[in-house]
Amino acid sequence: MHLTKEINQEINLINTDYFTKGEYIYMAMGLVGNHRVCIAVAYKIDYCIKKALQFTEVDPNVKFTHINKVKVGEKEAEKRFEWEP
């Protein structure tokens, strides 16, 4: 597993006083064939990654592609973190 610079920065952010749990959700996205699926949702990016990796270990047909950071109540991602296996 390789954490990108952006993911490491986000992990560092969640360990500060600036982070408010529940303000954002992190959605791990993947592909099953050509179909886009959500494979994990969490309030913290590190837990989201953990759950997404558990999912892909159990089902080799799922490819973990990226994580969306979404402000709770919104429909569009505020930020996208690419996943590099």
Side-chain angles (χ1 to χ4, degrees):
M1 167 179 70
H2 172 69
L3 299 179
T4 65
K5 177 182 174 185
E6 292 80 16
I7 291 174
N8 276 319
Q9 288 173 339
E10 194 72 12
I11 290 170
N12 289 335
L13 173 68
I14 66 173
N15 294 316
T16 68
D17 292 336
Y18 299 108
F19 180 76
T20 305
K21 188 165 58 170
E23 184 176 359
Y24 291 92
I25 58 170
Y26 296 89
M27 300 172 63
M29 305 302 291
L31 289 173
V32 177
N34 291 325
H35 186 74
R36 176 76 53 203
V37 293
C38 179
I39 57 176
V41 178
Y43 289 114
K44 295 170 73 178
I45 193 170
D46 54 347
Y47 190 71
C48 186
I49 291 168
K50 175 184 175 181
K51 300 313 284 182
L53 291 175
Q54 287 175 350
F55 197 112
T56 59
E57 288 171 2
V58 172
D59 190 340
N61 296 313
V62 178
K63 180 183 177 202
F64 181 16
T65 58
H66 66 280
I67 300 167
N68 289 327
K69 180 180 181 180
V70 181
K71 188 165 183 77
V72 171
E74 298 296 324
K75 294 181 180 180
E76 299 295 322
E78 185 173 296
K79 190 164 185 176
R80 177 179 169 136
F81 300 90
E82 297 299 325
W83 181 252
E84 298 176 7

